[in-house]
Amino acid sequence: GDIVAYVFQGRKLYNPTEGDAFTIPFGYLLMNLYLAYLVGNYPVKDLLGYGQQILLRTRRRSRWWVSKCLWCAGTVLSFYLLGYLVMLAAAAVSGGFSLALTPEIGAYSELYAADPVSRDWLPSALLLPAATSLALSLLQLALMTVVKPVGAYIVIAVVVAASAYFYTPLLIGNYAMLLRNASFLEGGIAFWPALLVDLGIALAAAAAGFLAFRRYDILDKV
């Protein structure tokens, strides 16, 4: 429990009017920016390579687009699955398994309270970061049909960085940080609304990306 909470803690609310010094949540930023790098420009490179031959033979852009959405989801889920396995290994080395937080967590994280506001914090820790990353990755994929891959990466990087600075449900990066979650913050991000918003954005991005891809001039991109 301590390891999971530490990895996904993010950053507490930033309030410059109270003289609060802004500290960069490196773990949160590295996870999401590295995932955006993994998504990168592979779909576009594929489309400008052997992907063109696949499109010519299948004659259906929908199949190519669905395959890339599935690849994107598989990349995100594999990334988090590997992370969970590493956390399990770290727990085994550290002395055992327990989903409860210990008082010692305050010594190396900003989660000072051993007893959170709500004891139902684990679903938020295990599911919301992955769901948020999935939404961001599919949004990045959709943006690649409109702008160049580097432009799509910059947009996602801005959303991720702005989420660390501003606390608002409109910036979904907040959903991936436990210190912004209702389990650790009174009036914070609630699990079910955040999960539904993440899934809604993911589906909307996939649908919007497909509509844009239908008008995508492949030959003009060569």
Side-chain angles (χ1 to χ4, degrees):
D2 283 1
I3 294 173
V4 171
Y6 173 76
V7 170
F8 296 117
Q9 65 174 318
R11 192 200 183 280
K12 64 181 181 179
L13 300 188
Y14 174 59
N15 191 346
T17 60
E18 297 181 358
D20 185 17
F22 181 75
T23 56
I24 300 175
F26 286 104
Y28 157 79
L29 287 177
L30 286 176
M31 278 190 292
N32 287 281
L33 294 182
Y34 183 63
L35 260 176
Y37 169 78
L38 289 179
V39 173
N41 61 353
Y42 159 70
V44 174
K45 282 187 174 181
D46 173 74
L47 185 60
L48 301 183
Y50 62 83
Q52 288 187 17
Q53 302 301 318
I54 295 175
L55 279 174
L56 288 173
R57 284 163 172 76
T58 61
R59 298 178 181 273
R60 291 186 180 180
R61 292 193 175 204
S62 58
R63 291 183 177 180
W64 188 92
W65 180 255
V66 169
S67 72
K68 292 301 172 279
C69 289
L70 292 176
W71 167 84
C72 190
T75 299
V76 172
L77 296 179
S78 297
F79 176 83
Y80 275 92
L81 178 61
L82 181 60
Y84 298 148
L85 292 175
V86 171
M87 283 186 268
L88 284 173
V93 173
S94 301
F97 303 96
S98 173
L99 298 180
L101 298 180
T102 67
E104 287 75 18
I105 191 173
Y108 51 85
S109 78
E110 294 187 272
L111 299 168
Y112 298 110
D115 186 17
V117 175
S118 170
R119 294 184 180 275
D120 298 328
W121 64 274
L122 202 58
S124 294
L126 295 179
L127 297 180
L128 282 185
T132 301
S133 294
L134 177 61
L136 290 172
S137 296
L138 286 173
L139 178 60
Q140 182 181 358
L141 183 64
L143 287 171
M144 288 182 197
T145 63
V146 181
V147 298
K148 293 183 177 180
V150 64
Y153 182 88
I154 290 174
V155 171
I156 297 304
V158 168
V159 172
V160 169
S163 297
Y165 194 88
F166 299 104
Y167 173 66
T168 169
L170 298 178
L171 293 170
I172 64 173
N174 283 277
Y175 304 171
M177 293 183 275
L178 278 180
L179 285 167
R180 311 283 177 87
N181 189 268
S183 296
F184 292 90
L185 174 70
E186 291 286 357
I189 302 295
F191 172 72
W192 282 111
L195 183 63
L196 292 175
V197 169
D198 279 337
L199 295 179
I201 291 176
L203 292 174
F210 173 66
L211 292 177
F213 181 63
R214 291 176 62 183
R215 302 177 180 86
Y216 192 85
D217 189 347
I218 300 171
L219 296 178
D220 184 54
K221 305 297 180 180
V222 178

